[in-house]
């Protein structure tokens, strides 16, 4: 079979594609390192010394009531300790947390994983909803979604990891409060 020889032009296109992929991987790695540093910084600032840090995640708040006219995503840092979880709203432009909530694991009622709430069309992402009580009243929740690192990711793996951590800590908190 006679083929057409590969020209320098095709080879350079292939090489440039590979270089672009390498740059994207480096950029993603750098971004993950920045998020890790951010989580560590706010863990030190928000968690009291007597609480033990169990994990942190950079997420987006996908509650439709928070979406403004610019349709800008609301960045959230979710920090988990041995007795509470923290939902910290992070402002990219100011490079700081402008508001946070500390919620006792005792008040966590349930966690749901399902499609992103949307007004129109089919949801593009999976979300996690944390239902909690505030002053013994049910009906409060945070709806969060993972920041996908690739088009194939929908965040469910991260949600299940988080649920595993929360479930273990929640059980420990409840057994401790019943003994005390």
């Amino acid at each position: 079979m006679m083929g057409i020889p590969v020209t320098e032009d095709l080879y350079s296109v292939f090489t440039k594609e590979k270089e672009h992929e390498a740059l994207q991987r480096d950029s993603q790695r750098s971004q993950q390192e920045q998020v890790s540093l951010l989580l560590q910084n706010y863990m030190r600032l928000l968690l009291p010394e007597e609480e033990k840090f169990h994990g942190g995640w950079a997420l987006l708040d996908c509650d439709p009531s928070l979406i403004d006219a610019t349709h800008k995503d609301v960045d959230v840092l979710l920090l988990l300790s041995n007795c509470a979880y923290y939902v910290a709203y992070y402002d990219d432009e100011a490079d700081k947390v402008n508001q946070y909530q500390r919620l006792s694991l005792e008040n966590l009622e349930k966690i749901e994983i399902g499609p992103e709430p949307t007004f129109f069309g089919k949801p593009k992402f999976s979300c996690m909803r944390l239902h909690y009580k505030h002053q013994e009243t049910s009906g409060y929740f945070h709806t969060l979604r993972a920041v996908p690192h690739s088009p194939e990711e929908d965040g469910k793996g991260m949600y299940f990891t988080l649920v595993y951590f929360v479930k273990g800590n929640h059980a420990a908190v409840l057994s401790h409060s019943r003994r005390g």
Side-chain angles (χ1 to χ4, degrees), residues 19 49 164:
E19 288 172 1
E49 284 186 29
Y164 174 79

Side-chain angles (χ1 to χ4, degrees), residues 9-27:
D9 292 336
L10 286 176
Y11 182 73
S12 68
V13 167
F14 178 73
T15 303
K16 285 182 182 177
E17 260 183 38
K18 289 295 180 190
E19 288 172 1
H20 179 71
E21 288 172 6
L23 284 173
Q24 278 185 315
R25 278 192 304 273
D26 289 345
S27 172

Side-chain angles (χ1 to χ4, degrees), residues 8-137:
E8 285 295 318
D9 292 336
L10 286 176
Y11 182 73
S12 68
V13 167
F14 178 73
T15 303
K16 285 182 182 177
E17 260 183 38
K18 289 295 180 190
E19 288 172 1
H20 179 71
E21 288 172 6
L23 284 173
Q24 278 185 315
R25 278 192 304 273
D26 289 345
S27 172
Q28 186 178 19
R29 194 174 306 119
S30 173
Q31 191 176 24
Q32 288 171 343
E33 288 170 5
Q34 286 176 340
V35 167
S36 179
L37 289 172
L38 186 67
L39 288 167
Q40 288 174 20
N41 185 36
Y42 279 100
M43 178 236 359
R44 284 190 297 273
L45 290 172
L46 298 178
L47 271 69
E49 284 186 29
E50 64 272 6
E51 287 186 29
K52 197 180 206 179
F53 180 67
H54 284 260
W57 297 267
L59 305 166
L60 298 171
D61 194 315
C62 57
D63 185 346
S65 67
L66 291 178
I67 297 173
D68 60 12
T70 62
H71 300 288
K72 199 171 119 183
D73 289 324
V74 179
D75 295 322
V76 172
L77 302 176
L78 181 67
L79 305 174
L80 177 64
S81 79
N82 57 319
C83 56
Y85 67 98
Y86 296 75
V87 179
Y89 293 91
Y90 182 75
D91 184 343
D92 275 346
E93 292 167 11
D95 195 26
K96 68 176 188 172
V97 166
N98 54 24
Q99 163 185 345
Y100 78 94
Q101 221 178 341
R102 181 191 184 277
L103 300 152
S104 169
L105 288 175
E106 290 178 351
N107 292 326
L108 182 63
E109 296 182 304
K110 67 180 174 178
I111 299 173
E112 294 177 318
I113 297 172
E116 174 183 33
T118 180
F119 293 121
F120 305 105
K122 186 179 175 189
K124 296 177 189 170
F125 303 102
S126 294
C127 287
M128 175 179 62
R129 184 169 281 166
L130 303 166
H131 293 264
Y132 63 95
K133 291 186 290 189
H134 178 66
Q135 297 178 349
E136 298 304 315
T137 304

